[in-house]
Amino acid sequence: MTSNTLLPVDRQAVTDRSRGAGEPEWLTELRLKGLELAGELELPRLEKTRIDRWNWTSIGLPGEVKRAAGNEGTAELSALLPSEEHRGNALVQRGSAVVHRELADEWKAKGVIFTDLETAAHEHAELVRPYLMKAVAAGEHRLTALHAALWNGGIFLYVPKNVAVEVPLYASFVADAAESVLAPHVLIVAEEGSSVSYVEQYQSSGTTDGEQVVPTVAEVYAASGAHVRYASIHNLGPAVIDVAYRRAVLERDARMEWVVGEMNAGNGISDTTTLLNGNGSSADAKVICVGDGEQRLNLVTRNVHVGKATESDMSMRAVVREAATAIVGGITKIEKGATGANGQQAEKVLMLSPSARGDANPILLIDEDDVKAGHAASVGQVNPEQIFYLMSRGLSREEAERLVIYGFLAPVVAEIPIPELEKQFRQLVERKLGQ
Amino acid sequence: MLVAGTMHFQIEGLRANVENKEILKGFDLTIRNGEVHAIMGPNGTGKSTLASVLMGHPKYEVTAGAVTLDGENLLAMSVDERARAGLFLGMQYPSEIPGVTNADFLRSAINARRGEGNEISLMKFIRQLEGKMKELEMNPEFAHRYLNEGFSGGEKKRNEILQLMLLEPRLTILDEIDSGLDIDALRIVADGVNSMRSEDRSFLIITHYQRLLNYIKPDFVHVMMQGRIVRSGGPELAERLENEGYEWLREELGIEIDSEDEAVGQKA
């Protein structure tokens, strides 16, 4: 997997598309640099997962961006929103096209920006440029490089100083045709003292998604005292390779909360990192996945403590059934100088069949003495004592197992900030569990 | 002989192994409707094993004997079938089930007994739950906490009695329900059990200490040693055991203390 890699697009195609969309020159340059790096760099090396054996040939040329928002049928759109009341604060991207984009006047009046990133690159270049592909660098590996070259649609969410956005902002990303690749980049900038909840859902539209790779990157910048909640549900089809690199950078006293539900039917990479740079910043990450069929899943959550008195917590849960494999890694890194830091993590994997495989890898990397850190990890099957207890109250074995497995995932499900979405997510989990 | 309308729980010649070691060695007991039986005995004599075997714990292997409830073969039933037939085991160490709220679990358990199409209405359930929790002096927030997770020993025991009161079983087995309870909690738990006593319910109370029997008055007291009942009597038997220990009985019966029994007994 080295120099003879065939790239899905060439310089000319990237240049044409970028110029054709009227993108600013700096963005065209950023894309071309990404493409160049993609030709030089390797795929990322993941713990116990041979992603070089996955089918990467379908990272394709992004289709033409249809700019006209509002061309989505009302019924189709409704199906993609948690409920009608969210229509006014939502964005929908289907393939490479952004088909719905609204933000209530109330928030616009306060200076909040919630639009697709391509539009933002035109209209708010001064806010986008200092941040885009800075937390996640194009040069990290081939997938980030390709993302830098190919990303489309996406989100730009900007919350001005001391503005608290009291409703969750919602994005729906739909993979629906192989010739129009879904590759959103989510960029959230929360200024000093602001707060916001952002919720996104990835899904495949019917059976038409075909083979494709959905390479996504999310970057969150939380300034002093800002509080960002980011909930992400991934429900892509069996032929999709889902690549999600999420990274938050926290300044002084900022807080980041991640809630991630990996419910895809295909292979996936899920990497969620928080850099606790500012003193007193804190992070909480809850990540769950359910793997079935032949799925190969690799999930990593990483909290990097740089500032003093920083606190982080992570909880990762994976349920694997049939012949699925989930590799779950938690990394807590405490840098020299991060005195008073406290980093905790727990990874738990539940295996429901003899051919399901799971692995939990807790890692603590600590370069400072005056800190607290803890980890817990377990890999196992459903505890027979729990099943006996529930059955002794009259529940059938199936019902008892359902409760135990569901309970295993519940702490994350309960954190989805939109009630309608929590209900959908609950149903999604049950379907993935074959119930 | 089975009297019509009278519940009749019968254990005959029950033998059971755990990991190929025989623990129950020919256990016999008959419990009729409305009766409260207590089983006492030193630790390590098979009391808790008896409770687990009757409920159908998969760790134990029944090698001989019969257990019937109203003439029905309990040993042929799965754990949940036994529960739905009217058996309830209040456990010494109830499992913790993270992520499942107490209320959700209790409602599922009640509905499992009532059967499909006959589910309890939400309002009725909430009313019952709140009423029983009040009787047990439980903080209402326990309804929304995850089942037994992070509960203290005493809270877990109260939660067992809460389930007993909501599920209204016909035969209740309480396995060392008094262990780890302070005197106030013991009184509350005992009051809960006593409120359930009736003509058509019976109880099998397993305990290491006579103290519980001051609060829940048994009709019969049995002493278990070496995997079977070695002496039966009334409440006075429990009092004598409390005052004099088990030594006199061992001597009368010519039972040697086996080293394992003693080791466990001294720990308690």
Side-chain angles (χ1 to χ4, degrees), chain A residues 131 155-159 186-190 196-198 218-222 228-230 256:
Chain A
Y131 298 107
I155 294 286
F156 181 63
L157 167 55
Y158 177 82
V159 189
V186 175
L187 179 58
I188 298 177
V189 179
V196 67
S197 286
Y198 165 75
E219 298 178 286
V220 177
Y221 299 88
V228 178
R229 295 185 78 188
Y230 191 124
M256 183 71 207

Side-chain angles (χ1 to χ4, degrees), chain A residues 295-335:
Chain A
Q295 270 185 282
R296 297 289 173 269
L297 303 168
N298 188 293
L299 294 89
V300 173
T301 306
R302 198 182 286 102
N303 289 325
V304 182
H305 293 253
V306 179
K308 297 182 199 307
T310 43
E311 294 202 4
S312 74
D313 203 355
M314 74 171 79
S315 174
M316 304 179 76
R317 303 282 170 99
V319 177
V320 274
R321 50 193 290 263
E322 296 170 349
T325 299
I327 307 296
V328 177
I331 301 168
T332 303
K333 187 163 194 331
I334 301 182
E335 305 283 5

Side-chain angles (χ1 to χ4, degrees), chain A residues 26 28 37 78 91 179 186 219 230 242 257 262 267 272 277 288 309 332 337 349 357 362 364 405 407 417:
Chain A
W26 62 267
T28 309
L37 287 166
S78 295
L91 183 146
E179 68 271 16
V186 175
E219 298 178 286
Y230 191 124
D242 185 21
E257 292 170 28
E262 299 290 1
N267 291 356
T272 308
N277 288 347
I288 61 170
T332 303
V349 180
R357 289 191 48 231
L364 299 178
I405 297 162

Side-chain angles (χ1 to χ4, degrees), chain A residues 178 224 230 257 275 284:
Chain A
S224 295
Y230 191 124
E257 292 170 28
L275 302 167
D284 182 83

Side-chain angles (χ1 to χ4, degrees), chain B residues 113-131:
Chain B
R113 291 197 181 210
R114 294 170 65 107
E116 236 173 81
N118 187 31
E119 285 89 353
I120 189 168
S121 79
L122 184 59
M123 284 315 294
K124 193 174 170 195
F125 168 70
I126 291 171
R127 228 175 20 245
Q128 284 190 6
L129 180 63
E130 286 178 350

Side-chain angles (χ1 to χ4, degrees), chain B:
Chain B
M1 207 178 114
L2 185 65
V3 180
T6 301
M7 197 209 48
H8 197 85
F9 183 64
Q10 190 148 32
I11 308 169
E12 287 175 297
L14 187 62
R15 290 177 174 271
N17 292 348
V18 60
E19 288 155 5
N20 292 321
K21 184 175 192 288
E22 186 166 68
I23 308 286
L24 297 184
K25 301 168 180 174
F27 187 96
D28 298 295
L29 181 65
T30 299
I31 301 178
R32 285 174 201 83
N33 239 344
E35 291 177 351
V36 176
H37 291 242
I39 293 186
M40 300 186 69
N43 275 328
T45 53
K47 301 193 303 295
S48 286
T49 297
L50 174 70
S52 296
V53 167
L54 293 176
M55 198 70 239
H57 195 293
K59 197 169 86 180
Y60 301 92
E61 182 199 0
V62 174
T63 54
V67 181
T68 56
L69 182 64
D70 283 349
E72 286 200 61
N73 180 4
L74 212 64
L75 296 179
M77 298 182 194
S78 61
V79 177
D80 54 320
E81 285 168 345
R82 294 179 200 206
R84 293 197 297 270
L87 203 61
F88 179 89
L89 171 58
M91 300 193 194
Q92 191 177 359
Y93 302 112
S95 284
E96 300 187 358
I97 318 281
V100 178
T101 66
N102 220 1
D104 283 349
F105 157 69
L106 287 166
R107 201 164 153 223
S108 301
I110 289 172
N111 285 334
R113 291 197 181 210
R114 294 170 65 107
E116 236 173 81
N118 187 31
E119 285 89 353
I120 189 168
S121 79
L122 184 59
M123 284 315 294
K124 193 174 170 195
F125 168 70
I126 291 171
R127 228 175 20 245
Q128 284 190 6
L129 180 63
E130 286 178 350
K132 302 298 183 196
M133 288 183 76
K134 207 171 163 189
E135 277 184 52
L136 291 168
E137 298 178 30
M138 289 174 79
N139 186 330
E141 75 161 56
F142 275 74
H144 308 292
R145 285 184 48 185
Y146 292 150
L147 179 53
N148 292 329
E149 193 187 41
F151 286 26
S152 70
E155 286 161 353
K156 283 181 181 167
K157 296 299 169 67
R158 264 186 237 206
N159 209 39
E160 293 292 282
I161 303 304
L162 176 65
Q163 294 171 45
L164 162 65
M165 293 168 83
L166 287 168
L167 295 175
E168 304 182 335
R170 294 158 64 202
L171 176 72
T172 299
I173 305 166
L174 298 176
D175 184 13
E176 306 227 0
I177 201 74
D178 51 330
S179 69
L181 291 186
D182 63 32
I183 205 74
D184 289 332
L186 185 65
R187 180 187 49 76
I188 293 164
V189 162
D191 286 349
V193 173
N194 287 329
S195 75
M196 295 298 291
R197 289 179 77 156
S198 76
E199 298 266 298
D200 53 5
R201 287 200 194 101
S202 27
F203 293 83
L204 179 59
I205 294 168
I206 293 170
T207 179
H208 191 64
Y209 302 103
Q210 188 262 345
R211 146 185 111 137
L212 177 66
L213 306 181
N214 292 333
Y215 295 89
I216 305 173
K217 296 281 183 215
D219 301 305
F220 301 93
V221 174
H222 311 278
V223 180
M224 193 167 172
M225 284 183 186
Q226 298 188 328
R228 61 185 188 276
I229 289 176
V230 294
R231 179 63 58 92
S232 296
E236 77 288 346
L237 178 57
E239 278 162 36
R240 182 165 181 204
L241 292 169
E242 181 73 5
N243 295 331
E244 300 176 31
Y246 291 97
E247 200 45 44
W248 61 275
L249 191 55
R250 284 199 185 97
E251 277 171 21
E252 268 185 42
L253 296 166
I255 292 175
E256 299 278 322
I257 305 178
D258 88 36
S259 54
E260 195 181 328
D261 281 9
E262 189 177 35
V264 179
Q266 281 173 351
K267 233 190 296 173

